[in-house]
Structure formats: structure tokens, C-alpha cells
Amino acid sequence: MADEQDAPAELRRLAGPLFAAMARSGLPVLVSDARRAGEPVVYVNAAFTRLTGLEPGDIVGRAALVPLAPEADPGTLAALAGALRAGEPLEAELPVQRKDGSRFQGRLVIMPVADEAGQPCFSLATLADVTAAREAPVLRAEQCLQRRALDEVNGRLRATLATSGVMASWEWHIAERRIIGDARFAALYQLEVEEAARGVAPSVFFSIIHPQDLTRIRLAVGGVLRGAEVFSKEYRIVLQGGETRWVQARGRCYREGEEVRTGRFIGTLVDVTEQKRAEERLRVAQTAGGIGTYEYVSGFGTASVSGQFCRLLGLQLAESLPLRTINAVVHPEDVPIIDASAEPQIGSISQAEFRITRPDTGELRWLMRRGEYQRDTETSDIRFSGVIYDVTDAKRTEAALRRLNEGLEAQVAERTADRNRLWRLSAEIMLVARFDGTIAAVNPAWLAVLGWSEVDLPGRDLFSLIHPEDAGRVRDGIAALSRREGLTRFDSRLRGRDGAYRWISWSAASGEGLVNAVGRDVTAEKEQAEALRQAEEQLRQSQKMEAVGQLTGGLAHDFNNLLTGIIGSLELLRMRVAQGRLAQVDRYVMAAQGAANRAAALTHRLLAFSRRQTLAPKATQPNQLISGMEELIRRTMGPEIRVETVLDAGLWTTLCDPNQLENALLNLCINARDAMPDGGRLTIETGNAQLDERGSRQRDMEPGEYVVICVSDTGMGMSAEVAARAFDPFFTTKPIGQGTGLGLSMIYGFAKQSGGQIHIHSEPEKGTRMRLYLPRHVGEAEGDEASAVPSALLRAVQGETVLVVDDEPTIRLLVAEVLEDLGYKAIEVGDGAAALQVLQSGARIDLLVTDVGLPGGINGRQVADAGRALRPGLKVLFITGYAESAVMGSGQLEPGMHVLTKPFAMEAVAARIRDLIGAP
């Protein structure tokens, strides 16, 4: 345990007796050397060790003044470092970490100690635990009063230390009655230095002592000269000019032999004027802060007390009081304020709470006493220096908090009991697990739901019970819980003890490093939902088949009309050729080709209804497409309907299949025509649109930039009920045989496949407005590939051979003739088996052109796969009247495989073949 004698001698000399008093008090004190690099600690007192647990050996020599906690405010730390470097005082509150790792909120007061030249040489710091003041408002108020008192003490100490120092020293030769003084002694007594060195009479020593203190000091000095060893007195001196100063004289008599009146009396004078003033302010501060001080030396029947000490006990003011008077106010069941029978150890701390009954008011109050036992330098007896202060309000607050805690504990116990009952009785399974999936606990419901008991699962991996297909989703949910506290819901399948999986709907939350989850068995609900889904799918399929059956007459009528046009045109063509009348041949060819194209459009409508038609998207400029169709649209509308176009000159490009866009636009115009049997106005408009989050949600689209094509009419319009069903497959308001109900459905499918949407705005007798939205494409529109390719490029290279596989002889004939006209060698086969024989032969094959649906058990895709196995890198072109998905299945086509849908122009197939063969 540190003693004030362990402090540097220079510090004790500069600080004077006030430092000794503070070092022995209950106030934690720490001193650092301001002149050394890093300002290391050179002294801590016993109170500091008791507060922090740090012995002198733990902190002396360290650069840090106090063991600050890691969470200390950086700004406060910077201010602390700056004050130390500048030698300036500082007060701050900051977290402090004890040696055992515990923390408290400390109030640190730093005061610089200057030497005789006024330069800072030490930093003296006091540390107080103000944690309690932060925890209860009443304690904070009391602590505030104590802090103000402490601030007063610290202020007085700073002023005292700044001006304190040894004023003079002397050596009194008793037998010679001569006093030898140093240069400071000479200056103090207005003597020449040489005169003081030779020695002066004792009367000179007493000449400057204040008249009111002279007798007392003469008696004290006489006691030393007659045999006493120690001299320590405070008194006033009067300097030249009349100034009065307080000094403390300390000395010791060193005898020479047994003769009493021989030897030397050596001592010093220290100016304690500021200290005395500080003590007066301290007395005032103690009174204001409610802190009483007292001192007791063992063996004596009285104790020195302060005025505030008397006020706290309700006693008459006095400088000393008998022990029996002091202890008489203490409650009989409590420890006395001063225990004269105690046998303490030097440096030990005594602290106790006790009750008193004030003699003046009869009030019962709680007080705290705290102090330290030290060796008295004058008597060598044990001296106790302590303080008392009132803690009644704090005790009342503590009692209130204790009652509150007891109530809270009862509530917690009640809630815990409720939770335990819920854990045991719940029909839903409950789970506690770590974030790595290790199960910590399960409730009894697991046995009823999954067959696992409470002792089967703790310690096992939760993911060993989860269905492999659901493990990723559960891991993502637990990972989300590990990053934040909140509620997560998800479903997963869980394996029971019998090996069967059951669907569990989980509600999970995290807390205290664990996942807490409640699961409900929803297996029956899942099975019912799946059964309902299958039933709905069957119902939809049956409805579609019924609708297709209802459409048979209409479709047959349309195809009969188209076939009549094709057959009639070809028959007339044959007759005119036979007659040699070739002038009208082109007319019949165009009629047959038009009817065939309309038949192809009808099949495309059916494919669009299934949303599986093959699209060939490319950058398209809708204005150019509409301009190219304008004449066709006008002829289709007839003379009774006026056609207007309002095209935005700055219209963006879109990425879509231009053929499908033409079909969609033509269908919209035909529907508008049918809605205006008595004539009207058809308007086609284009524009750009920027949809934000709100606008896109209203239109069931993604936010972004869109090209808008609007077709509006002045026809009969639609009711809200009809408009709501307009895009349903096979829905039509036309008589049977006059419409398939697939037109708008095809347009809707095309828009969705292209990443867009279509919307209707219609009112009965006011007309209809159809808005087609297509996503913007950044780039220039592509030109017409067919016209861009010179016919010369379509000629074959010598020996290039194409294997054509199709079960339709007409198609084989047409494709083969076109290929031979272009210089290709064509090998024709009608089924997959024959195609495999050719592929297995040594014949040159540059390209395989095959239908997908082939007779004989081997389809076109199988022929292509077998051909590539025999001839790696073989290029393949599928020609099919089905959707592209019939070729691709659920995957993607391999490199070098392409699709061309029927019907197609011969020029198109020739160009595609040339491109494929010529590609690297």
C-alpha cells in the first residue's frame, strides 16, 4: 500500500502539508512527472489502489494517467492529452477500467504543480467514482453537491501548489544560543547573507512572528529546547511593509550526548498562506456540499471535527468533541462513528453506513463514514482521518429501486411460468437453435408431429432433417436473422422419425445469439392446395378443349375460304397456262399467295394463344413499319372509315419481331373496323413514355422507357365487363364463324413476350383506345435482310450438299428444287431412319435440314443428335410448323443448330441455308 512518503521528495516539498492530508484521505490521488517524456506516473495513494485495484507497481512508470476504458470518448482523450502537454488544469468525466476488468464512470481533475520558477513539474490528479450519480437522480443531486465541494478543494489546492515553497531553513545551536540561516532566511529577516551564515541571536527568530501567535510559538520552541524532539507549528509572520503571511515551521532536535541543552535544532519555514485560505474555502465548501471531516488519534478521548461534521450529527459547533458524545447519536444496532477499541493496520480503509438520531430534531438519518488509518508523524500513534456525509436520500432511492426490482422479478417469474406452460402445451413445434444449425432445444409437440422426443434432437444438425431442396431457403433465412433481429417466415419440409417429410410453416426470430422458431404443420394444407391446383389446371384444359370444339365450325369456315382461294387460283393458273393466256398469271399467283399468307397468319394466331410462337426479335422502328402498312390498312378499312396517323418524329426504337408487330397492328385495326359498321375514324398514334414506380404498378409493368403505339376508333365501344375479358383466349363477341377469339389474345401474348403490355380504355358508344407498350431499345433499326443480300451471294460453292428430311413430299420437292436452282446438291429422305443411313454413309453432308415431327419413331431432334455424334460440328436447320419449344424442349439449342418455322418463303430458306453453310 502506498504511503505519502513514497511520493518524490520534491513533490512533498512543493505541495507542503496539504498534499500529505490529501494522500492520507479517502480521495484517490495520482501524480505524474510533467518533465519526463510521456509524463509517467510517479505516485498513487492507497485510495486510488482501492478504487481501481491497481497497485503502485501496476501503474507507476506508465505513460497513461489512468487506465481508461476502450470506449472513452476520443474528444475527451484529446483534451486530456493537450492539458497534460500544456501544463493546464482539466476536469472531465470518462469511463475507467479496473484491474479486474470492471468499469465505472470516473470524474478526473488534473492540477499542475509548479516549481519555484513557475514551471510545471508535476500533474496532480484526483479520481472519483460518479457511477451512482448516473444511476439515480437523487444520488446525482447529492453527488453534484459533493462534486462542487471537491471542485472548491481542488481549486484551492491548485492555488496553494502554485505558490508554495520553502521560505527559509535554519540550524539552531542550542548551547551557543546561535541560529545559522541560509540565504532565504537572511532575505526573510532582512539580514546580510554573511551575517545569517555567522549566526544570529534567538530573538531575531521571534522578531517577525505575529504578536497573537508569539507566546504560543515561544512555548513550543521552549519545549523543543528542553527535550522535545519534534517541532511542527503553523503561525503568522509580519513582513517588512506590514504584510502578514501564514507559515508552517517544521523542525527536529538532534541531541549531542545526554545533556538536554546541547545539540542542534534544525528546521524549515514553508509559506502556507494560500493553503490556509484554501482551508477556509474548504470549510465553506464542506458546509455547502454536506461533507464533514474529523480526525482521531488512538489513545485520546476526543476527536478534531469540522463545523459541518457537527451539523450533520445535530450537535453544537465545536473544534473537538468527546468520543462518547459523537457515538451517542448512533443507532444502537449500528457500528460507531469512531471505534476506540479497533486495532487497525496502517493504511487500511474503514467505511460503514450507520443511522443516527439527531439530538436537535429527533430525525432518523442515514450517514456514510469513510477514512484511512495512518501513523501520526508527531505522536507515532495511529491517526484516523475521515469524512462523513448524509446518504438518507440515496438509501430511500435504493429501497425504492429494490421494491421495484422485486416487483419486476415477480413479473419475470410469472411470464417465465407462462412461457414454460406454452412450451409444454403448445400443439405447434418450437425450436431453439444456434446460427450454425445446431439444435439446442425442442418442445414436446415434436413427438406428436414428427415422432422426435425432446431428448432425440438437441445437439443434432437441423439441416440433416430439412429436405435437400429446401435447405438453401432455410440457410438464407437463418443468415438474415444472424445479421439483424426481426421476424422471418418461410416454409420447409422436415423429416420425421419415420423418414417421411412434412411441410412446416416457420416463424423465426433471433435473440441472444440464438434462433427461436415456431412451426405449424401445413402438410394437409399443401396437399389440398396442390390438389386444387391440379383440378384448376384440368378445368382450364377442359374449358380450352370445349372452346376449341366450339371454334371448329369457325376455323373450318375460315380455312375453307382460304383453301378455295388457293385451289381456285392455282386451277385458273393451270388453265391460263394451258391456253397460252399468260397476261393474267401474276394475278392468280398473287391471289393464291395472299390466301396462303392469311392461312399462315391464322396458325400464328393459334400459336400466339399458347404463347409459344417463335419470335425473331430485332431492332425495329415502329414509324417505318406503320408507314409501310398504311396503304394496306386503308384498303382493309374500306371507304367508309377515315384513317389518320399521328407519328412522333422522335420515336425510339424497340426490340421485337416486326412480323408479329405487323400482325398485332393489323388485328387491332381489323377489330376497330368491325366496331364501326357504319363508318368512322381510325387513328394510329406513336409516342415515347417514361414510367416510374407508381405508373408501372398501375399498368402491371416494370419501370422504364417504352415505345407506345395507340390505335383508337370512334366505334360502338365496350362495357367494362367485356373489356375485362377481351384478352381471354377464345373470347369474342362476334357470331360463330366470324371470329376465333384469338386476335387480342395473340396481341397480348406478343406484348408480354416482348417485355411490354397492352391496355384497353373503352366506353360504350364512345369508342375504344388500345395502347401497346414495347420496351425501348438503344440502337438503330435493322434493315430488310432479304433485300440487303445480293442474289449472287446465294449461289452454292461447288459440291456443297444439303440433306433434306421431311415426311411431306411437296415440301421436300420445293426445297430441293430451290437448292438445285442455286447450285446446291440436295439429298431427299422422308423419315428419320433413312436420314441416319445417309449420315452413316460416306456422302458429303454440309448441312442437315430436317422437320421435327417425323414418322418411324425417330424425330428430327434425334436425327440431329445422332448426326452430330457421327459427324461432330454438323450444322442443322430445323424446319417446323410447331413452336420452337418442340425443338428446344426445356433447354437451349446447341451451337450450330437453328430453327425456321413453317410456312416460309423459298428465298428465306435459301438465304438461311447459305448463311449457315458459310458460317465458320
Side-chain angles (χ1 to χ4, degrees), residues 563-574:
L563 291 174
T564 298
I566 295 171
I567 294 171
S569 296
L570 292 176
E571 184 176 354
L572 289 174
L573 175 64
R574 181 179 60 80

Side-chain angles (χ1 to χ4, degrees), residues 620-633:
T620 302
Q621 173 50 254
N623 281 352
Q624 297 176 2
L625 184 142
I626 294 171
S627 298
M629 295 181 62
E630 186 172 352
E631 182 62 28
L632 174 62
I633 293 173

Side-chain angles (χ1 to χ4, degrees), residues 21-38:
M22 291 189 66
R24 294 192 296 270
S25 71
L27 187 65
V29 176
L30 176 147
V31 182
S32 62
D33 192 336
R35 298 165 299 184
R36 293 168 57 189

